[in-house]
Amino acid sequence: MINIEVKIPEKEKSYPISIDKYDVGELRERIRPILRGKKFLVVISEKVDKLYGKSLGFSAEEKFVLKDGEREKNFKNYQRILARALRHQLSRKDAIIAIGGGVVGDLAGFAASTYMRGIDFIQVPTTLLACVDSSVGGKVAVNSKFGKNLVGSFYQPKAVLINTKFLDTLDEKQFKSGLGEVVKYAFIEKSCQSFEEFNFANFLSENAQNILKKDRYTLQKLIEICIKLKISVVEKDEQEEGLRKILNFGHTYGHALETITGYKKFTHGEAVVKGIEVAFELAQSKGMVEENYKYFAKDLLEKFGFGKIKTYPPKKILAAMKSDKKAVLDKVAFILPSKFFEVEEKELVIDEIKLEF
Ligand code: GLY
């Protein structure tokens, strides 16, 4: 088992993350010492409940089953979770446990952050994307009709328990989506922290086949590295006042692409990969990186089978960027590669962004 501690400066916000592979039936026992007798409500993804509900052994009363899909991260379900917690008479000392991907974690976490002004929250991420990104760092939210994640908070969990057993049944599309976020870390590695004699891009390149085969130890190592990189950022800047923005590498274009295609055409990871390609093009056009680094990035992405994504009309993309919550007046912040495995924030005037490559 791999154990990692997230050390948020305000001490009571620090929490442990464990990475392991075990029979899912053991989860209850592993959560017991964290709960220390607290009452709880489990919010679980429908897919995970269908596959593992019996082995997990939570009763119908103890769990709220959430349908899958980004659309479910809505106010109606948020209210339903709160109503269940109230009916179940959870007090301020009790807990909400999320078992599922990013949608479940974000929504259950937001419910936990607001229920009785905040109760304990435990994350059990079951997708690769949630393991390497959304379950770590405390961003929780609900979508509104005006856009994704527009209502939310920073709320750190009490613990994150990763069991790579859940990844065995993750479909190819969702697994690849997680890999999109994984590859992102390779290009921001040195802006997060420098590992001595280690290079994440090389690790990915050398282990691509084992990763795609979901080899147990390679996956655990991969998740460990991504989490360590992410927490090295979150520990320094929990609330995205500066450094944390680098985690949005590939996301400025990626979010715009998701918006104009109604979150239906691409997985989040695919959109981020396209965003990474665009970031390299923009950086090269601004003389920030050489062409050979751009081709290095393309090669690495190809190793994980990310094919070509069609180009969308720049006008539509730019309009979506303008309405993003991160856009300020006529400018939008891009995270662009600057040196090998380093990135920099650059504010670009939207009307001057050239997206024809
Ligand atoms: N997914 C980006 C962040 O957690 O800041």
Side-chain angles (χ1 to χ4, degrees), residues 296-316:
F296 171 90
K298 270 192 191 303
D299 280 351
L300 189 61
L301 293 170
E302 263 165 33
K303 280 209 162 131
F304 290 95
F306 289 108
K308 221 175 156 34
I309 289 181
K310 96 175 220 237
T311 312
Y312 280 79
K315 257 198 175 150
K316 277 192 165 177

Side-chain angles (χ1 to χ4, degrees), residues 51-307:
L51 285 166
Y52 300 104
K54 264 209 181 101
S55 327
L56 286 166
F58 295 108
S59 68
E61 232 222 342
E62 285 172 328
K63 67 188 177 191
F64 179 96
V65 180
L66 186 71
K67 286 206 177 90
D68 292 283
E70 190 64 42
R71 261 178 307 165
E72 301 300 322
K73 206 168 103 182
N74 57 35
F75 280 106
K76 220 178 207 162
N77 283 325
Y78 166 66
Q79 281 177 326
R80 285 188 183 129
I81 293 170
L82 296 182
R84 276 292 294 278
L86 287 165
R87 211 169 303 129
H88 204 46
Q89 295 184 319
L90 291 199
S91 74
R92 292 183 88 162
K93 294 200 164 64
D94 293 325
I96 289 182
I97 303 168
I99 308 180
V103 168
V104 172
D106 282 11
L107 189 62
F110 186 60
S113 79
T114 47
Y115 185 78
M116 309 243 168
R117 298 208 174 83
I119 61 170
D120 282 1
F121 173 47
I122 297 167
Q123 287 256 36
V124 181
T126 59
T127 64
L128 181 62
L129 185 70
C131 290
V132 298
D133 185 29
S134 59
S135 73
V136 177
K139 277 189 181 174
V140 292
V142 55
N143 297 334
S144 95
K145 67 174 184 191
F146 296 97
K148 212 180 142 184
N149 295 333
L150 288 181
V151 178
S153 56
F154 289 99
Y155 196 67
Q156 302 296 339
K158 273 282 161 274
V160 181
L161 288 89
I162 295 174
N163 180 1
T164 55
K165 184 96 182 161
F166 287 113
L167 304 183
D168 289 347
T169 46
L170 190 64
D171 64 53
E172 210 45 39
K173 202 173 147 134
Q174 290 309 320
F175 187 67
K176 281 276 288 292
S177 179
L179 286 178
E181 285 284 352
V182 166
V183 181
K184 171 195 84 178
Y185 286 105
F187 302 112
I188 65 170
E189 181 191 348
K190 298 226 173 321
S191 299
C192 301
Q193 74 171 78
S194 263
F195 296 119
E196 254 172 62
E197 292 169 30
F198 179 80
N199 177 279
F200 190 39
N202 285 346
F203 173 90
L204 289 177
S205 188
E206 283 162 14
N207 291 285
Q209 285 315 311
N210 276 339
I211 294 167
L212 292 168
K213 274 196 293 193
K214 297 186 182 168
D215 169 71
R216 171 183 178 165
Y217 294 102
T218 318
L219 271 193
Q220 290 191 354
K221 186 81 202 150
L222 174 90
I223 293 169
E224 180 189 1
I225 300 162
C226 293
I227 289 178
K228 282 191 169 155
L229 289 170
K230 179 156 186 181
I231 66 182
S232 71
V233 172
V234 173
E235 282 175 352
K236 288 179 214 121
D237 176 20
E238 185 198 0
Q239 308 216 341
E240 200 164 307
E241 277 150 331
L243 181 70
R244 187 166 179 162
K245 290 182 191 162
I246 66 170
L247 298 174
N248 298 327
F249 180 50
H251 285 61
T252 308
Y253 187 95
H255 275 158
L257 191 58
E258 286 180 298
T259 305
I260 66 166
T261 54
Y263 291 88
K264 286 193 197 107
K265 208 164 165 53
F266 304 108
T267 62
H268 180 64
E270 278 173 329
V272 168
V273 164
K274 182 70 187 173
I276 292 174
E277 286 174 4
V278 168
F280 269 95
E281 294 289 358
L282 287 173
Q284 195 208 336
S285 72
K286 301 207 164 300
M288 293 168 69
V289 293
E290 301 280 337
E291 197 171 35
N292 58 358
Y293 186 31
K294 182 179 88 182
Y295 287 118
F296 171 90
K298 270 192 191 303
D299 280 351
L300 189 61
L301 293 170
E302 263 165 33
K303 280 209 162 131
F304 290 95
F306 289 108

